[in-house]
Amino acid sequence: NNSSPQQSRTSVPGFRVVCSSDWVELAMEANAHGIHIKESHLAKIPAIRQIASTRDSFLIGTSAHSVQSAVESYVTYRPDYYFVGTCF
């Protein structure tokens, strides 16, 4: 395959690569579409948004382990998506 990672990712409609790590520099170097932040590391989201501001689109998501934690994190940090685990 002679295509670059960027070409391979964008050739599949709706396909997104997200790093499951707090290492935003690594995600950006890997040309990922975003990063998944642990629920316990939500306070890092503002700094990650600042670092990622050079990208046209960079998803920042998190896990939610209860409805309350999802609401609280949304009000404070506004992640782009949630991975919902065992809430019920």
Side-chain angles (χ1 to χ4, degrees):
N1 184 356
N2 293 330
S3 64
S4 71
Q6 180 69 22
Q7 292 169 329
S8 297
R9 281 192 320 208
T10 58
S11 66
V12 181
F15 181 70
R16 297 290 178 259
V17 175
V18 177
C19 288
S20 181
S21 167
D22 296 358
W23 299 341
V24 66
E25 293 88 358
L26 177 63
M28 295 198 49
E29 186 176 319
N31 209 20
H33 290 104
I35 193 166
H36 184 86
I37 302 300
K38 292 180 181 180
E39 187 176 33
S40 60
H41 296 169
L42 290 172
K44 294 180 178 184
I45 289 179
I48 291 169
R49 285 199 195 285
Q50 182 66 34
I51 294 167
S53 66
T54 60
R55 297 279 292 272
D56 290 337
S57 176
F58 192 79
L59 297 171
I60 300 172
T62 188
S63 300
H65 300 286
S66 71
V67 173
Q68 180 179 350
S69 72
V71 170
E72 289 173 1
S73 66
Y74 180 77
V75 167
T76 305
Y77 300 107
R78 305 264 187 206
D80 298 311
Y81 72 87
Y82 284 95
F83 179 83
V84 181
T86 53
C87 290
F88 305 98

